Amino acid sequence: MLILGIESSCDETAAAVVKDGRTVLSNVINTQIELHKKFGGVVPEVASRRHIETIDAVIDEALEEAGVTFADIDAIAVTYGPGLVGALLVGVSAAKALAFTLNKPLVAVHHIKGHIMANFVEHKDLEPPFVCLVASGGHSHIVSVEDYTHLEIMGRTRDDAAGEAFDKIARVLGLGYPGGPLIDKLAKEGNPDAVQFPRVRMDKDSLDFSFSGVKTAVINYLHKLEQNGEQYNKADIAASFQNAVTDVLCEHTIEAAVLKNSKIIALAGGVASNSALREKMTSEAGKKGITVVYPKPVFCTDNAVMIACAGYYEYLDNNFADMTLNAVPSLQL
Ligand code: KG4
Ligand code: ZN
């Protein structure tokens, strides 16, 4: 079965063709990073306009790269939330137009489910149940993946997403945008124990996250040094911040896996490409006999392969959308 996946929830216009949910025939991503760089973050209206300009070409390229035509496609899967409403609408409208004119089934995909499903593309033997940490620019969730379409949320952020904190601290350090990969790189040259930033636990029994405290702690720490005219080593700050955030992500996720008696932890979302997170999770979970899997970086950040993959399993579950499908910017899991 061939699924055409379409993704436009934020600043990537993406289309992909995936066979039987796991085999990637094409993966086209038109990233808008350069466009938004000068603003230090994604400007929603600018993003929507660029999606409109590029989506047709991106879809055509995905078909061409896969060596197929519209006639070969069995269904069209599209992200309908969560995300920026104007951006989502472009993908949803394109998918509806294609489904209608080609008379093909339409499948609506939750963006976060997509991120999780990226793991199936990379790890052909991976099967639910397992515990997944989804950490991106907009979300930080610990999810129990019960089966291919049903998830149970075990923990979530009460304020900022992990990626949002990375982006903010990178901006404060003057590194640029998006901040996650830049902090990851700089941190390799720094001492992760140089400064002890807070590791927040909301309640004793809660797996929820809070990253606004560590973000503020770093900002206050830097302000104080600047006010006193003291020099600081950016790499040490980056490494210490990253150490604090990844400690919390690992601790809570491993706790969730132990609670569920799960022997597998999957990582997903943009922050899942963080090298310190991957290493720490692998070694800490390993001590408890838990294996850690994650997609390669191109499948961690936004892409349409993950949407086609999630769409395949929704299709098998007979979960189809119709022409009333709309973008849902704050869609819940
Ligand atoms: O999944 P994604 O592409 O978009 C959302 O759905 O939000 O994630 C983007 C986020 C950004 O905040 C970016 O800074 C972060 O993922 N990110 C990273 C790394 N690569 C991307 N954060 C930490 N380390 C990285 N290597
Ligand atoms: Zn995403």
Side-chain angles (χ1 to χ4, degrees):
M1 186 187 296
L2 294 185
I3 309 269
L4 170 66
I6 298 174
E7 154 66 39
S8 71
S9 65
C10 190
D11 60 344
E12 262 95 29
T13 322
V17 179
V18 175
K19 188 180 167 195
D20 297 333
R22 301 223 180 198
T23 306
V24 181
L25 299 190
S26 65
N27 175 28
V28 179
I29 303 170
N30 185 287
T31 179
Q32 304 179 358
I33 285 178
E34 285 306 319
L35 189 64
H36 299 286
K37 226 174 203 168
K38 58 176 173 289
F39 305 109
V42 179
V43 182
E45 188 54 27
V46 174
S48 317
R49 283 164 193 262
R50 180 55 67 89
H51 283 307
I52 292 175
E53 286 162 12
T54 54
I55 195 148
D56 286 347
V58 167
I59 293 170
D60 284 346
E61 203 179 322
L63 293 175
E64 199 181 318
E65 198 180 295
V68 300
T69 66
F70 279 127
D72 302 313
I73 298 294
D74 293 293
I76 293 145
V78 64
T79 307
Y80 74 114
L84 303 169
V85 68
L88 286 164
L89 271 171
V90 177
V92 167
S93 305
K96 279 164 70 174
L98 286 174
F100 182 72
T101 50
L102 301 167
N103 199 19
K104 308 265 183 193
L106 178 67
V107 183
V109 173
H110 192 296
H111 183 76
I112 310 227
K113 267 192 184 174
H115 273 300
I116 296 168
M117 300 290 148
N119 280 287
F120 294 128
V121 174
E122 292 276 277
H123 307 285
K124 309 286 182 213
D125 301 332
L126 179 65
E127 281 179 14
F130 56 85
V131 165
C132 184
L133 168 69
V134 196
S136 71
H139 319 276
S140 300
H141 286 92
I142 298 174
V143 174
S144 169
V145 182
E146 306 282 319
D147 60 41
Y148 286 102
T149 52
H150 296 98
L151 312 172
E152 180 200 325
I153 299 175
M154 299 182 72
R156 53 153 51 103
T157 182
R158 303 254 185 112
D159 41 56
D160 297 343
E164 209 174 337
F166 269 93
D167 292 337
K168 177 72 183 179
I169 297 307
R171 196 173 337 156
V172 173
L173 289 173
L175 301 180
Y177 166 86
L182 300 167
I183 293 211
D184 192 349
K185 192 163 166 234
L186 183 63
K188 289 190 177 32
E189 297 158 26
N191 173 8
D193 298 314
V195 190
Q196 281 301 305
F197 291 121
R199 277 96 168 134
V200 173
R201 161 82 69 167
M202 301 303 288
D203 310 298
K204 191 168 64 59
D205 297 323
S206 170
L207 295 173
D208 284 355
F209 300 115
S210 167
F211 296 112
S212 70
V214 63
K215 196 179 77 180
T216 310
V218 177
I219 293 169
N220 288 345
Y221 181 83
L222 294 177
H223 277 170
K224 217 160 156 190
L225 292 180
E226 277 159 13
Q227 273 169 2
N228 296 339
E230 289 177 48
Q231 297 292 319
Y232 58 85
N233 181 335
K234 279 189 187 181
D236 282 350
I237 305 294
S240 301
F241 161 74
Q242 182 174 267
N243 197 20
V245 172
T246 53
D247 268 357
V248 175
L249 290 173
C250 290
E251 191 184 307
H252 292 207
T253 309
I254 292 168
E255 223 172 286
V258 169
L259 273 174
K260 283 280 171 187
N261 207 10
S262 172
K263 290 291 161 212
I264 296 174
I265 288 175
L267 307 181
V271 180
S273 51
N274 183 268
S275 54
L277 175 67
R278 289 172 171 220
E279 280 163 31
K280 195 177 287 180
M281 193 74 86
T282 304
S283 71
E284 293 302 311
K287 290 177 191 164
K288 297 192 184 295
I290 300 168
T291 304
V292 177
V293 298
Y294 40 77
K296 63 182 170 203
V298 70
F299 294 143
C300 286
T301 43
D302 289 349
N303 65 86
V305 165
M306 65 187 200
I307 303 306
C309 177
Y312 171 75
Y313 291 106
E314 296 293 344
Y315 185 111
L316 294 187
D317 225 23
N318 284 317
N319 195 2
F320 296 107
D322 60 26
M323 288 301 129
T324 62
L325 180 67
N326 205 350
V328 185
S330 33
L331 183 64
Q332 299 299 310
L333 258 185

